[in-house]
Amino acid sequence: MPLQNRVLPTGEIVAIPARGMFVGNRGIIHDPATRTLLRRRWSTDAWITCVLEFRDRRRKVMERRSWTELFFLDEATSFAAGHRPCFYCRREDAIRFRAAWEKGNRTGEVLAPEMDKVLHRERLASGKRLHPLPKSIEKLPDGSMVRAGAETYLIAQGKALLWSPSGYRAVKGAIGDVKLLTPPSTVRAFAAGYRVVLHPSATM
């Protein structure tokens, strides 16, 4: 049976086989004895996204009382859920994201905990709300995700692609009643130049 450690764009954590391109964490939220999640879904405001491999280190997933390993289809999925790049294993990406976040949000010399506070207010999983679209779908920056009904869509090159645990697929026709899922401050960082790592299926 797969462990409950796969993150959906909404921030929900589910048990499905596929793991994806990135790993990350929200602190310690599992019981290592049973390898199951606790009732809480985060123990810190710092929700980060890490690389799957770092300096040849190997971890047995959810077997230690250490940070809980969570997996994402791609970086766009982790951003939609409210995570940001890790300053330890992804330092260059984290620095690029912070610079874009500062530019897009018209601030300067922001610290990671300050970004985390803003993101925590904007995450669907912690804030319980979606956001109005800041502009039309075709003008949203690549990597943004939106919700329409029960479905999640990635915006790439002005087009909406339907998200699934195994990748993206094209959709026919327009999608209605759309709300922004990716935190608005993160979308502004995308618009300011941060390039999001997308699953290969997004290049259609």
Side-chain angles (χ1 to χ4, degrees), residues 1-6 14-19 34-36 61-62:
M1 292 291 293
L3 298 173
Q4 187 180 357
N5 60 5
R6 177 67 180 271
V14 299
I16 52 179
R19 287 191 175 178
T34 60
R35 301 175 76 193
T36 58
V61 177
M62 295 173 73

Side-chain angles (χ1 to χ4, degrees), residues 9 11 14 21 38 46 68 74 85 87 90 100 123 150 152 156 176 195-196:
V14 299
M21 299 171 64
L38 305 174
T68 303
D74 59 3
F87 272 93
R90 300 183 60 203
R123 297 165 180 143
T152 298
R195 297 289 298 274
V196 185

Side-chain angles (χ1 to χ4, degrees), residues 53-65:
E53 297 182 9
F54 183 65
R55 296 180 181 175
D56 294 323
R57 296 177 183 176
R58 297 288 183 270
R59 293 174 60 92
K60 292 186 177 180
V61 177
M62 295 173 73
E63 286 195 353
R64 292 188 289 170
R65 185 155 183 78

Side-chain angles (χ1 to χ4, degrees), residues 115-199:
M115 287 192 292
D116 294 333
K117 287 181 181 180
V118 174
L119 291 172
H120 203 62
R121 292 195 300 267
E122 296 178 339
R123 297 165 180 143
L124 178 62
S126 58
K128 309 297 183 187
R129 64 189 179 95
L130 296 168
H131 306 275
L133 289 184
K135 55 187 69 177
S136 60
I137 281 181
E138 63 272 12
K139 294 182 179 179
L140 287 173
D142 286 2
S144 304
M145 285 197 175
V146 300
R147 290 279 285 180
E151 302 291 359
T152 298
Y153 299 86
L154 168 75
I155 307 305
Q157 298 182 345
K159 297 180 180 179
L161 303 174
L162 181 63
W163 184 94
S164 78
S166 58
Y168 301 99
R169 67 175 185 268
V171 294
K172 295 181 179 179
I175 54 176
D177 193 22
V178 177
K179 297 288 186 181
L180 183 66
L181 176 58
T182 305
S185 62
T186 296
V187 173
R188 290 190 286 271
F190 297 168
Y194 185 84
R195 297 289 298 274
V196 185
V197 179
L198 303 179
H199 189 268

Side-chain angles (χ1 to χ4, degrees), residues 15-89:
I16 52 179
R19 287 191 175 178
M21 299 171 64
F22 288 89
V23 66
N25 77 87
R26 305 172 182 179
I28 302 171
I29 57 172
H30 74 284
D31 178 356
T34 60
R35 301 175 76 193
T36 58
L37 292 187
L38 305 174
R39 296 185 70 178
R40 63 189 180 188
R41 291 297 179 263
W42 65 86
S43 63
T44 175
D45 288 354
W47 295 17
I48 62 175
T49 308
C50 304
V51 291
L52 291 175
E53 297 182 9
F54 183 65
R55 296 180 181 175
D56 294 323
R57 296 177 183 176
R58 297 288 183 270
R59 293 174 60 92
K60 292 186 177 180
V61 177
M62 295 173 73
E63 286 195 353
R64 292 188 289 170
R65 185 155 183 78
S66 178
W67 54 272
T68 303
E69 300 89 348
L70 304 173
F71 295 90
F72 311 90
L73 172 69
D74 59 3
E75 193 179 26
T77 302
S78 70
F79 275 126
H83 290 244
R84 60 163 174 81
C86 173
F87 272 93
Y88 182 58
C89 68

